[in-house]
Amino acid sequence: MHVCVTYGTIYPLGFPQNINFVTEICYSHLKLIAMSLIIHHTAKKIGLSLLLAASISSYTLAAPVRDVNDKAKKSFVKNFPSAESINWTESKNGDTYTAYFRQYDVKTVANFDHDGQLISVLRYYGEDRLPLTVLALLKTKYSDKTISGVTEFSKNQNEDVAYYIKLEDAKFWYTVKVVGNDMEETEKLDKQ
């Protein structure tokens, strides 16, 4: 599950500035993670303890920051000119800055290095924002499933964007990864 984990950083569940936004992003994905852990690991009785450990440790890996590196700020404004509700964190070792924000009503998380280079972007949205080519490919195999959410992941402009699409039907939850014209079912969880 890499929705709240990128380059080894677990994003915080919240921080003092605009706590609702970050909590909302990670809470929705933690819910999906919790469902996966509980369903797959109930017999082993480790689901809740893993979830608790991940959420507690996340506070120590990144801290809110008020003085963002000028290079990161300039790059942010250039790449996301319409961003709103912006909150920043800095990694514990100070080598990356993470911006949490909304752009065009899409929840977004962008990571920058100390030189201001954009490292990666996560965007969270619904079926209505999926590119038509991705939606058409998805519907070839999963036309009878309902799309419950999309996590879009991009590392840089030279690589294809990866779409992690959460689907469901009466019996199962699915995660399907789409990159270019390749589609792979990465997870199938029984609802029972």
Side-chain angles (χ1 to χ4, degrees):
M1 313 264 169
H2 96 288
V3 288
C4 285
V5 178
T6 305
Y7 296 109
T9 302
I10 299 174
Y11 296 112
L13 293 176
F15 46 90
Q17 304 164 349
N18 196 358
I19 192 168
N20 294 334
F21 173 66
V22 176
T23 302
E24 189 177 331
I25 286 176
C26 287
Y27 178 73
S28 64
H29 294 292
L30 282 175
K31 243 179 11 182
L32 293 171
I33 292 168
M35 286 188 296
S36 299
L37 290 172
I38 291 168
I39 290 168
H40 283 299
H41 302 291
T42 299
K44 296 177 185 176
K45 297 182 181 181
I46 63 168
L48 289 177
S49 53
L50 284 176
L51 180 62
L52 182 59
S55 63
I56 290 171
S57 67
S58 68
Y59 282 105
T60 64
L61 295 176
V65 62
R66 297 199 192 293
D67 296 320
V68 178
N69 174 311
D70 283 337
K71 292 176 183 177
K73 276 196 268 188
K74 286 179 185 176
S75 180
F76 177 81
V77 170
K78 178 184 170 193
N79 285 289
F80 305 101
S82 302
E84 300 173 341
S85 304
I86 306 156
N87 290 295
W88 288 90
T89 61
E90 182 178 13
S91 63
K92 190 173 182 179
N93 62 6
D95 65 348
T96 59
Y97 292 96
T98 302
Y100 299 85
F101 59 97
R102 287 183 178 274
Q103 181 164 289
Y104 308 116
D105 204 32
V106 173
K107 296 173 191 172
T108 307
V109 179
N111 293 296
F112 297 87
D113 67 17
H114 215 264
D115 293 325
Q117 295 295 313
L118 182 60
I119 299 170
S120 64
V121 178
L122 286 167
R123 295 172 13 111
Y124 306 93
Y125 49 82
E127 176 180 355
D128 59 324
R129 295 201 184 256
L130 260 177
L132 291 177
T133 54
V134 174
L135 188 58
L137 180 63
L138 193 66
K139 294 296 182 178
T140 61
K141 185 173 179 184
Y142 299 98
S143 61
D144 59 335
K145 313 292 185 254
T146 303
I147 296 174
S148 57
V150 177
T151 299
E152 176 188 304
F153 176 73
S154 56
K155 281 189 178 169
N156 62 46
Q157 296 176 356
N158 299 327
E159 292 185 24
D160 287 332
V161 174
Y163 300 90
Y164 294 85
I165 300 125
K166 291 290 184 185
L167 303 155
E168 67 177 294
D169 60 20
K171 293 184 178 184
F172 299 99
W173 287 288
Y174 306 83
T175 301
V176 176
K177 178 182 177 182
V178 176
V179 179
N181 289 323
D182 297 324
M183 180 170 59
E184 170 190 6
E185 187 175 300
T186 61
E187 182 178 47
K188 182 177 179 181
L189 301 173
D190 193 337
K191 286 185 172 182
Q192 308 313 328

